[in-house]
Amino acid sequence: MSDNSHQHPASHGHSHIPKDMSSSRIGWAFILNVCFTIIEFIGGWLTNSTAIMADAVHDLGDSLSIGLAWGLNKLSKKSRDETFSYGYHRFSLLGALINGVVLIAGSIWVLTISFPRLISPEMPDAQGMLWLAILGVIVNGYAAFKLSEGKTLNERVLNWHLLEDVLGWVAVLIVAIVLIYIELPILDPILSIGFTLFVLFNVLKNLRTAIRLFLQATPEKAIQEKIKIELSTLKFIEDIHHFHLWSLDGERHVLTAHLVVNHYFDQQEYMAIKHEISTRLSPFYLEHTTLEFEFVDEICRDSKSD
């Protein structure tokens, strides 16, 4: 016997957010990033600053990856069909994976630019850097703030894209102010390397999570143990096996399990048991559950897969 339930409780942590809000936030981040990237190229040429030109190339890569994430995120909102029976939620996870890889590659490229400048620092146009840095902090800071409202893994990875840019422009702002009064160009690569390593560390953590979820690892072991405890303490449950908890996109989790019951029951008791299980599982906001009942003297048809 199988109990297939789809739980969409009104108290779900994301139910108060319109379905297209994540796409809207990513879309705004994309538009702001593209516009500012163009300004960066022009500003880098006018100030004769290779650091700003390098950041413009980096932001161009960010724009392309954010645009890709925007498209994938919108695709993830499509309803399920015969090809993708669970829906398109995992496309959002794919976007998080791609963007994590792009950001790591971009960070490594920035480091390859910055380290040589420790040996041969160059004096840029400090006044031009100052005004571009102020604009950069405002534009990228606003975009990062908008994405910080998001809860999806995709938005978190993209937020680190923009946070890296904010921190980078803060570094440019500090260096520009110092360089206006003191000729010490080596501060630029030092701060750039420090901020890049900091952001790179956090992106690697998010990417590790995305890869684990993409490979269908258990999203959170604590949740898995709590669910097992809730089910195992039911008076009619003798054993639990073939217990699988995985995630569609880091938010929407799927549960399947075989529950061995200790006695036979009639239809009325069966309905009561289903209701009790549903009540026990409701705090976990599972997107989809498939539970199969087995009796103590019944041979599990999936025993060969153990």
Side-chain angles (χ1 to χ4, degrees), residues 29-249:
F30 172 70
I31 293 171
L32 288 172
N33 230 60
V34 169
C35 292
F36 188 65
T37 297
I38 296 172
I39 294 174
E40 278 186 282
F41 275 113
I42 297 173
W45 175 69
L46 292 176
T47 59
N48 194 31
S49 171
T50 55
I52 293 177
M53 290 295 286
D55 198 78
V57 174
H58 181 75
D59 275 358
L60 178 62
D62 282 356
S63 298
L64 294 174
S65 59
I66 292 173
L68 174 63
W70 188 16
L72 290 172
N73 195 75
K74 289 178 73 68
L75 181 62
S76 73
K77 305 300 180 183
K78 289 181 62 177
S79 300
R80 66 184 184 89
D81 53 31
E82 292 183 358
T83 303
F84 295 96
S85 59
Y86 278 106
Y88 290 76
H89 302 300
R90 288 178 72 78
F91 279 85
S92 177
L93 188 59
L94 176 62
L97 276 172
I98 294 174
N99 281 287
V101 172
V102 170
L103 185 54
I104 289 174
S107 298
I108 292 173
W109 182 79
V110 170
L111 291 175
T112 61
I113 297 295
S114 300
F115 278 117
R117 291 200 172 190
L118 292 174
I119 301 174
S120 302
E122 300 177 10
M123 188 68 185
D125 180 352
Q127 288 286 348
M129 287 178 63
L130 177 66
W131 291 111
L132 278 172
I134 293 173
L135 184 60
V137 170
I138 293 173
V139 172
N140 288 283
Y142 176 75
F145 171 75
K146 292 296 292 183
L147 278 184
S148 68
E149 299 173 0
K151 303 298 182 183
T152 67
L153 182 62
N154 200 12
E155 288 176 292
R156 293 205 302 269
V157 173
L158 288 177
N159 194 47
W160 278 109
H161 273 271
L162 296 170
L163 182 58
E164 181 187 45
D165 293 334
V166 171
L167 294 177
W169 281 111
V170 169
V172 174
L173 179 63
I174 294 172
V175 168
I177 293 173
V178 172
L179 292 180
I180 289 175
Y181 300 100
I182 305 172
E183 189 171 340
L184 196 62
I186 198 172
L187 288 178
D188 188 8
I190 290 176
L191 286 174
S192 296
I193 291 170
F195 284 132
T196 301
L197 290 176
F198 169 74
V199 174
L200 187 59
F201 172 75
N202 286 281
V203 171
L204 285 171
K205 289 197 301 183
N206 274 328
L207 184 61
R208 179 178 179 271
T209 300
I211 291 174
R212 283 177 52 82
L213 293 176
F214 204 77
L215 296 175
Q216 297 187 342
T218 302
E220 294 181 45
K221 290 185 177 180
I223 292 179
Q224 177 177 259
E225 291 304 316
K226 288 179 180 178
I227 293 175
K228 281 186 175 181
I229 291 173
E230 286 294 329
L231 293 176
S232 62
T233 54
L234 292 169
K235 60 183 180 181
F236 53 84
I237 298 297
E238 186 76 18
D239 182 42
I240 301 174
H241 58 266
H242 285 299
F243 184 98
H244 304 290
L245 179 67
W246 58 282
S247 184
L248 294 173
D249 60 357

Side-chain angles (χ1 to χ4, degrees), residues 244-259:
H244 304 290
L245 179 67
W246 58 282
S247 184
L248 294 173
D249 60 357
E251 294 178 281
R252 301 168 178 86
H253 302 335
V254 177
L255 171 68
T256 65
H258 290 195
L259 308 180

